[in-house]
C-alpha cells in the first residue's frame, strides 16, 4: 500500500497571514513540520501542497518536494485532494502545516490505525489538561463514542456541564488519513457544508456526508499555531526542550 504525506500550506491565512513561513528558531515553520514528517515516512513520500510561489521557493531551498495546487481550495483537505491528482497513492496522510511540535511517533500511530481499519477516515486526538485550551475558540474539541468514532467536533467547550466548569475534554490533532474515495467525495462539494461553515472545522464535512471518522489517541506534544500568540507559545516551549 503506497502511502504519502501531504502537508497543505497556504500563505493567505485570515488569522495569521504568511504563517507557513513564520520564523521559528531560525527556520520557517513549514520546514519544522516537514522535518517531523520525514522521521515517520521516507522523504520521497512527503510533499508540501501550496498555491503560493513564496512557499514553493522556500521549500525548494530546503530540499522539500512541492505540489502546486489551485488557489481556490476551500480547506487544507481540499488542497490534499488537489495534490492527489498529481501524486498517486493508496492512502493519503494529511499533516497540517501549523503543527511544528508534532511527535513523529504520532504520525505512525495514525498510519497504523489506517492499516488496522482499511478504508476508514482516521483523525488524531489528545487529552486536554487545562482550562485555557478547553475554553479556547482556536482549539477544536472532540466528542467521540467509546469505540473512538467521532460524534461531533466544536470550537465550543464540549463536553459541557451545568456548572460550566472544565472536567475533561479532548482536542483534535491535525494528522489525518484518507482513502482516495473519501477524499474525492469530500472535494466533490462546491462549498463548505453547513456545520463545517459554522464551526470552521473541515472534518465535519465528512460527518455531514455520512462518513464515520475514527479518532485515535496520540501524545499531548501537539500545539497548533493559529495565531501569532500561538507561535510565541510554541517558540517558548521549543526553547525549553
Amino acid at each position: 500500500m503506497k502511502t504519502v504525506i501531504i502537508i497543505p500550506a497556504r500563505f493567505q491565512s485570515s488569522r495569521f497571514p504568511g504563517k507557513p513561513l513564520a520564523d521559528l528558531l531560525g527556520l520557517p515553520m513549514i520546514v519544522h513540520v516537514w522535518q517531523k514528517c520525514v522521521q515517520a515516512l521516507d522523504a520521497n513520500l512527503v510533499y508540501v501542497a501550496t498555491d503560493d510561489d513564496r512557499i514553493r521557493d522556500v521549500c525548494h531551498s530546503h530540499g522539500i518536494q512541492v505540489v502546486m495546487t489551485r488557489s481556490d481550495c476551500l480547506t487544507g483537505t481540499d488542497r490534499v485532494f488537489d495534490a492527489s491528482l498529481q501524486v498517486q497513492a493508496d492512502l493519503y496522510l494529511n499533516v497540517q502545516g501549523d503543527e511544528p511540535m508534532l511527535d513523529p511517533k504520532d504520525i505512525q500511530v495514525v498510519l497504523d490505525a489506517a492499516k488496522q481499519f482499511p478504508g476508514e477516515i482516521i483523525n488524531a486526538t489528545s487529552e486536554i489538561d487545562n482550562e485555557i485550551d478547553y475554553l479556547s475558540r482556536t482549539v477544536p474539541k472532540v466528542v467521540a463514542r467509546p469505540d473512538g468514532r467521532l460524534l461531533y467536533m466544536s470550537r465550543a467547550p464540549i463536553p459541557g456541564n451545568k456548572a460550566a466548569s472544565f472536567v475533561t475534554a479532548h482536542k483534535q490533532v491535525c494528522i489525518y488519513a484518507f482513502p482516495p474515495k473519501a477524499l474525492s467525495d469530500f472535494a466533490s462539494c462546491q462549498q463548505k457544508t453547513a456545520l463545517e461553515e459554522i464551526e470552521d472545522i473541515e472534518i465535519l464535512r465528512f460527518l455531514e456526508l455520512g462518513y464515520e471518522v475514527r479518532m485515535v489517541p496520540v501524545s499531548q506534544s501537539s500545539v497548533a499555531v493559529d495565531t501569532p500568540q500561538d507561535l510565541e507559545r510554541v517558540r517558548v516551549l521549543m526553547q525549553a526542550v
Side-chain angles (χ1 to χ4, degrees):
M1 180 175 69
K2 181 181 178 181
T3 301
V4 298
I5 294 176
I6 307 291
I7 308 170
R10 66 188 182 111
F11 194 90
Q12 299 299 337
S13 169
S14 58
R15 289 187 290 263
F16 192 171
K19 180 169 63 173
L21 302 184
D23 179 80
L24 187 55
L25 304 185
L27 284 175
M29 183 165 62
I30 192 70
V31 176
H32 284 279
V33 177
W34 177 83
Q35 288 177 339
K36 297 298 178 65
C37 290
V38 298
Q39 293 179 56
L41 209 62
D42 187 277
N44 292 323
L45 300 172
V46 181
Y47 301 81
V48 167
T50 188
D51 64 330
D52 192 273
D53 292 345
R54 290 161 291 189
I55 295 174
R56 178 200 60 197
D57 292 346
V58 167
C59 287
H60 281 170
S61 72
H62 287 86
I64 299 171
Q65 299 183 105
V66 177
V67 179
M68 297 302 291
T69 63
R70 293 161 37 196
S71 60
D72 60 349
C73 295
L74 294 173
T75 67
T77 300
D78 291 288
R79 196 174 303 282
V80 170
F81 170 74
D82 205 43
S84 76
L85 300 178
Q86 303 174 58
V87 180
Q88 299 301 308
D90 302 303
L91 182 70
Y92 294 90
L93 296 188
N94 174 355
V95 178
Q96 295 288 74
D98 58 4
E99 292 274 5
M101 293 194 68
L102 281 180
D103 187 336
K105 294 177 183 177
D106 292 340
I107 300 174
Q108 187 62 52
V109 168
V110 171
L111 178 55
D112 290 344
K115 293 177 179 177
Q116 182 181 355
F117 302 101
E120 294 194 20
I121 299 161
I122 311 296
N123 192 186
T125 183
S126 68
E127 186 177 1
I128 292 175
D129 60 6
N130 63 87
E131 188 176 42
I132 293 175
D133 284 349
Y134 175 65
L135 296 176
S136 171
R137 292 288 172 160
T138 67
V139 177
K141 269 72 69 176
V142 172
V143 175
R145 297 182 178 98
D147 66 1
R149 287 178 296 163
L150 180 64
L151 286 170
Y152 194 62
M153 196 178 295
S154 178
R155 295 184 182 278
I158 59 172
N161 55 42
K162 291 182 178 179
S165 60
F166 170 58
V167 178
T168 184
H170 289 77
K171 67 178 181 179
Q172 180 192 45
V173 177
C174 290
I175 313 170
Y176 315 84
F178 302 127
K181 174 64 165 58
L183 197 55
S184 177
D185 287 348
F186 181 95
S188 68
C189 296
Q190 300 303 305
Q191 59 186 18
K192 293 183 179 182
T193 49
L195 294 173
E196 176 195 10
E197 179 70 38
I198 293 170
E199 295 274 11
D200 192 22
I201 299 175
E202 62 206 73
I203 204 74
L204 292 176
R205 192 187 308 180
F206 285 112
L207 293 187
E208 293 181 89
L209 291 175
Y211 275 94
E212 297 276 11
V213 177
R214 187 174 296 275
M215 307 301 299
V216 295
V218 297
S219 75
Q220 293 177 288
S221 67
S222 164
V223 180
V225 176
D226 288 302
T227 67
Q229 292 74 27
D230 293 333
L231 182 69
E232 185 55 36
R233 177 186 178 190
V234 167
R235 183 177 288 115
V236 170
L237 290 170
M238 291 180 72
Q239 287 175 329
V241 173

